[in-house]
Amino acid sequence: MSSNTEITVSQLARIIGTPAAPVIIDVRTGEDYDADPRLVPAAVRRDFRTVSAWAPEFARRQAVIVCQRGQKLSQGAAAWLRHEGATAESLEGGFEAWRDSGGLLLSTDKLPSRDDSGRTVWVTRARPKVDRIACPWLIRRFVDPRAVFLFVAPAEVPMVAERFGAVPFDIEDVFWSHRGDTCTFDTMIEEFGLRSEPLDRLASIVRAADTGRPDAVPQASGLLAASLGLSRLFRDDLEQLDAGMVLYDAFYRWCRDAVEETHNWPAPGKPA
């Protein structure tokens, strides 16, 4: 049984990818990380040896600390974060328990470099509709919660990427874009190793809505309508992104938890 300073793999799995997810801090040794350089989704790497320097960054936040087996490194780092005012728990069984349970793991070989503040920076075309909201949602929920997104005139995306150290996405002739009949959301799921039943289900909806095939998946027409509505509601692309995060949070939870649920009012045989 876990203590009040630990969180179980199953408990963490329920909140990964949701707005309720804590900050996840991977403090594995360099040797352990190099042996399997994947991360619990949205985790950041920190050196346990310098915890006194970085712990204040997480004061007053909820955090889960991950080491190789959930022992001295994560428990010590979690205790130090609690000293700094964080609500911090260690992951019971550590990275090994998460991996062995089949937990989703983020591939890091395609992760972009980070800016001086430790954030990945991305750039795409202004006035987003589907893919250009879906991809930022995926990145912030499963890759980098602090990611920065720049929305600029289409013709300026490549040069903005070059001058500002940003990663271009969802434009032609770049790595993070459509491939064949799939969309950029599919590409990110594949390259980041995030294939899972809920995300694959969501990807089928995004793909159908984004590639002009809304009849291919029943939910795609609703996503497309909501996306177009949001683009009319907001002149500011970042405000639209904030609203779109809630939309994709809802679709993800439906894909994960509610596909079998039906509306049951009025009762069968009674008039509406």
Side-chain angles (χ1 to χ4, degrees):
M1 180 180 295
S2 62
S3 72
N4 60 355
T5 61
E6 291 179 302
I7 186 171
T8 67
V9 165
S10 60
Q11 288 171 332
L12 182 58
R14 291 297 298 170
I15 53 178
I16 287 286
T18 75
V23 178
I24 302 170
I25 305 171
D26 184 306
V27 296
R28 286 178 290 163
T29 65
E31 181 181 8
D32 285 335
Y33 176 75
D34 290 343
D36 190 343
R38 296 178 294 173
L39 295 169
V40 174
V44 296
R45 286 273 295 155
R46 290 290 188 273
D47 189 336
F48 71 91
R49 295 169 297 186
T50 57
V51 63
S52 61
W54 53 260
E57 175 186 347
F58 302 100
R60 296 181 298 280
R61 300 180 70 181
Q62 289 189 314
V64 170
I65 316 302
V66 180
C67 68
Q68 189 70 3
R69 298 182 180 88
Q71 297 173 348
K72 55 185 176 295
L73 299 189
S74 60
Q75 294 200 24
W80 199 284
L81 263 69
R82 291 193 295 272
H83 171 73
E84 293 291 348
T87 302
E89 300 169 296
S90 59
L91 178 62
E92 187 179 60
F95 178 84
E96 289 185 359
W98 180 269
R99 179 198 62 204
D100 294 346
S101 75
L104 201 58
L105 285 166
L106 174 70
S107 297
T108 59
D109 58 325
K110 300 297 193 309
L111 272 176
S113 58
R114 298 175 183 263
D115 69 3
D116 292 341
S117 297
R119 305 166 297 184
T120 58
V121 182
W122 306 76
V123 61
T124 191
R125 296 168 288 138
R127 307 310 302 140
K129 299 297 187 295
V130 180
D131 228 359
R132 284 166 287 150
I133 297 294
C135 291
W137 173 84
L138 183 74
I139 291 167
R140 283 190 173 165
R141 291 290 183 251
F142 292 91
V143 180
D144 176 13
R146 299 175 61 221
V148 173
F149 295 96
L150 309 177
F151 295 97
V152 303
E156 302 305 320
V157 172
M159 289 305 297
V160 169
E162 180 181 333
R163 297 298 178 87
F164 291 87
V167 180
F169 71 99
D170 203 47
I171 63 170
E172 293 182 354
D173 301 322
V174 298
F175 182 80
W176 300 105
S177 194
H178 290 222
R179 297 177 185 177
D181 293 332
T182 66
C183 61
T184 308
F185 190 77
D186 291 294
T187 299
M188 290 191 173
I189 287 177
E190 185 67 30
E191 295 292 346
F192 285 130
L194 295 173
R195 295 291 303 273
S196 65
E197 186 175 353
L199 285 175
D200 287 350
R201 183 176 289 121
L202 180 56
S204 69
I205 300 170
V206 173
R207 185 186 320 122
D210 192 63
T211 60
R213 297 173 289 173
D215 295 337
V217 181
Q219 296 76 26
S221 293
L223 176 61
L224 180 59
S227 300
L228 295 177
L230 286 176
S231 74
R232 301 302 194 277
L233 279 172
F234 297 97
R235 290 178 56 85
D236 186 292
D237 293 340
L238 294 176
E239 289 183 2
Q240 183 187 340
L241 174 57
D242 288 341
M245 293 291 292
V246 179
L247 176 66
Y248 280 91
D249 285 336
F251 267 87
Y252 175 67
R253 287 303 300 270
W254 178 84
C255 289
R256 198 188 77 176
D257 303 322
V259 291
E260 301 299 329
E261 185 174 337
T262 59
H263 184 64
N264 59 4
W265 182 262
K270 294 185 178 181

